[in-house]
Amino acid sequence: VPRVHRDSEQIDSKKKKKSSNDDDDEKKSGKGDKKETDKKETPEQAKAADCEKLAAFQKKAEKDVEAHTDKEDGSTPTPDDLDAMAKTLDNLSLEAKNMELKTAAAKAIANRYSTALASFATAARGMATAVRTNDSVKAQAETAKVSKLEEEIGAIDEDAKKLCPNLDSGGGDG
């Protein structure tokens, strides 16, 4: 098992080398310029920075979604609540998609978050429509979609924790 892990790290590092011509440009243009060489990060530093960004995103996403789902009186969210949550989920999806990450593994996790959150937004809108029209069949179908998406987001969270063990400690020190 550790062997597979090392192989995947080698693959990730090869992808980074292929996809990053910026490092070569820095070497050519700023050999004697100390500022240029200070900007270079080790793979460990890049991963730590990406993990911090993922941790911050997770906290923000959880807080933003809970604002729509945790009602003080314990009542069920209204269609307007669901529409507002869908808008929030769309914004979070866009934010995940546009995160400036350096490692391939972190980018893959962010892309998965983006896709799942966009789907979640669609399901929330579907639930709002079902409630408005008293369509119990559609409501059940959308509820099933939401359950699957919650599982998917949970799986993404777990993969993020595997990549970044500091996520359990709330973003950690890197």
Side-chain angles (χ1 to χ4, degrees):
V1 176
R3 191 169 197 204
V4 172
H5 182 68
R6 280 190 226 123
D7 290 344
S8 66
E9 286 178 0
Q10 290 173 346
I11 291 168
D12 286 345
S13 68
K14 287 179 184 175
K15 286 180 184 174
K16 280 185 233 168
K17 287 178 184 173
K18 287 180 184 176
S19 67
S20 178
N21 292 330
D22 296 339
D23 290 343
D24 295 338
D25 294 341
E26 282 181 16
K27 287 177 190 172
K28 291 174 189 171
S29 66
K31 272 191 175 177
D33 188 13
K34 188 169 182 162
K35 286 183 183 178
E36 290 295 325
T37 56
D38 286 347
K39 288 184 182 178
K40 284 192 143 197
E41 285 184 318
T42 66
E44 293 80 16
Q45 289 170 324
K47 180 182 172 186
D50 285 357
C51 286
E52 286 181 25
K53 288 177 185 177
L54 285 171
F57 175 77
Q58 282 182 334
K59 276 185 170 181
K60 181 184 186 307
E62 189 174 320
K63 182 181 175 187
D64 289 358
V65 172
E66 281 179 1
H68 298 289
T69 58
D70 290 346
K71 299 185 95 178
E72 288 182 25
D73 60 4
S75 63
T76 305
T78 66
D80 289 343
D81 293 333
L82 293 169
D83 285 334
M85 183 172 78
K87 186 173 184 176
T88 296
L89 290 166
D90 282 334
N91 290 338
L92 289 168
S93 173
L94 189 60
E95 187 176 325
K97 186 176 186 175
N98 293 328
M99 262 198 278
E100 292 184 20
L101 302 170
K102 296 174 183 158
T103 62
K107 287 178 184 178
I109 287 170
N111 285 334
R112 287 174 60 203
Y113 274 128
S114 179
T115 300
L117 290 166
S119 297
F120 203 147
T122 300
R125 283 189 187 87
M127 287 179 73
T129 299
V131 171
R132 282 189 182 102
T133 60
N134 289 323
D135 186 342
S136 61
V137 174
K138 183 174 177 75
Q140 286 178 335
E142 297 300 334
T143 300
K145 287 179 190 175
V146 167
S147 294
K148 285 183 180 181
L149 288 164
E150 286 174 340
E151 288 177 21
E152 171 64 16
I153 290 170
I156 299 168
D157 287 344
E158 288 304 312
D159 289 345
K161 287 176 188 172
K162 287 176 189 170
L163 177 69
C164 308
N166 64 325
L167 290 181
D168 274 335
S169 62
D173 302 306

